[in-house]
Amino acid sequence: MPEGDTVWNTARVLQRALAGARLTGSDFRVPQLAATDLTGWTVRESASRGKHLLLRLTAPTDAELPEGADGPEGEGRRDWTLHSHLRMDGAWRAYAPGERWTGRPAHLIRVVLRSAVAVAVGYHLHELALVPTAEEGSLVGHLGPDLLGPDWDPAEAVRRLAAHPDETIGEALLDQRNLAGVGNLYKCELLFLRGVSPWTPVGAVPDLSGTVTLAQRLLAANRGRWTQSTTGSLHRGQTSYVYGRRAQPCRRCGTAIRKEELGERVTYWCPVCQPDRA
């Protein structure tokens, strides 16, 4: 399930596979970019912003630039960003040239980027867009502080959360405008570790600063690996306290873990370790 750490890991995979490479071909399988050809473009870097992936490229001087390239002459207007959002089901995979693509069924492929050293294939990607790098803010500027970014600012994350005191903390943590990177797994696990009911209004959460600090620690601890664990164990069935464990005994008190919808997502919690929503 793509969360902030998963997207961070994905960005690093593409960085290792393509950074500095000149593209020998591209294939976009979405209507808005179907006619786009990135042959000859150079991949500068791959980066993540919350759950968004940003592949930054430079167009060759003789390339026909896409729409939106209006502006002063110079190298800056030749820098572009291929943006994708992984949401719940998107993924990028990197393959060696000639290697079989085994990531997902072929009908889910949305983009293929080829180089002499690697082939990057994007499956079930959302919000694909190619924009001048200087205009990245139009796609990710609304996001809150990135939990795994160099600009992580816990005080700003707390300020944004506190601005909506009547919203449930479970929903507020998933709102990427407050802090970027928390998904449903980390929401559930974080609130269990903090002993807070997901239905608690933000204004009633006793220590928002401690909550966002722990959120960043959880994601950072899983950065660089694909198995997400909040318990310290990487063994199958032992990686979470409450997430995905409906009706199983709480690892702390033995009470059956509950599952219920909160907003548009399900949530898992322990009714004993996390105070009643009242």
Side-chain angles (χ1 to χ4, degrees):
M1 175 181 297
E3 304 214 14
D5 57 329
T6 311
V7 182
W8 189 95
N9 290 342
T10 300
R12 296 317 177 275
V13 168
L14 294 182
Q15 176 76 9
R16 290 192 295 268
L18 291 177
R22 185 175 181 180
L23 298 180
T24 58
S26 65
D27 178 11
F28 287 93
R29 304 181 186 181
V30 291
Q32 68 271 25
L33 294 173
T36 301
D37 182 8
L38 300 184
T39 301
W41 291 45
T42 300
V43 179
R44 290 185 289 116
E45 64 176 331
S46 173
S48 61
R49 186 82 170 86
K51 298 184 182 183
H52 299 250
L53 196 140
L54 306 167
L55 198 60
R56 298 179 178 125
L57 312 105
T58 298
T61 56
D62 59 348
E64 182 178 347
L65 299 182
E67 292 183 11
D70 296 336
E73 293 294 334
E75 290 300 317
R77 69 190 294 268
R78 310 200 76 85
D79 292 337
W80 288 73
T81 296
L82 178 61
H83 164 273
S84 59
H85 196 309
L86 273 60
R87 291 192 188 174
M88 295 286 291
D89 47 9
W92 280 93
R93 297 286 186 270
Y95 302 99
E99 182 181 359
R100 183 183 177 191
W101 304 347
T102 58
R104 302 280 177 86
H107 73 272
L108 294 179
I109 295 175
R110 299 293 179 263
V111 60
V112 179
L113 302 177
R114 301 177 184 273
S115 76
V117 295
V119 179
V121 182
Y123 297 91
H124 216 163
L125 303 175
H126 304 268
E127 301 175 28
L128 266 176
L130 185 65
V131 302
T133 297
E135 298 176 15
E136 278 183 6
S138 65
L139 299 173
V140 298
H142 65 287
L143 298 175
D146 184 349
L147 288 149
L148 296 181
D151 60 341
W152 167 240
D153 185 345
E156 175 61 14
V158 168
R159 186 193 71 77
R160 292 187 180 216
L161 286 168
H164 306 282
D166 297 327
E167 187 174 22
T168 68
I169 186 62
E171 293 174 292
L173 288 171
L174 293 180
D175 189 336
Q176 303 299 294
R177 295 170 296 183
N178 293 328
L179 63 171
V182 173
N184 208 34
L185 181 153
Y186 285 115
K187 174 205 77 177
C188 297
E189 295 293 288
L190 170 64
L191 293 178
F192 172 81
L193 290 168
R194 296 294 298 175
V196 175
S197 166
W199 285 269
T200 303
V202 170
V205 175
D207 183 7
L208 282 177
S209 179
T211 299
V212 301
T213 297
L214 181 56
Q216 196 278 333
R217 285 173 53 197
L218 289 176
L219 267 74
N222 286 302
R223 184 171 49 190
R225 68 186 182 204
W226 297 103
T227 299
Q228 295 166 310
S229 174
T230 57
T231 63
S233 173
L234 298 178
H235 294 293
R236 193 185 190 102
Q238 299 178 17
T239 58
S240 67
Y241 287 102
V242 293
Y243 186 81
R245 300 189 65 242
R246 182 179 69 84
Q248 297 182 47
C250 173
R251 300 191 191 282
R252 283 181 176 170
C253 72
T255 303
I257 299 300
R258 294 184 183 177
K259 172 185 175 183
E260 191 172 326
E261 289 190 5
L262 173 59
E264 298 180 353
R265 307 287 290 278
V266 298
T267 194
Y268 298 85
W269 84 105
C270 173
V272 172
C273 293
Q274 296 167 264
D276 187 86
R277 68 189 76 174

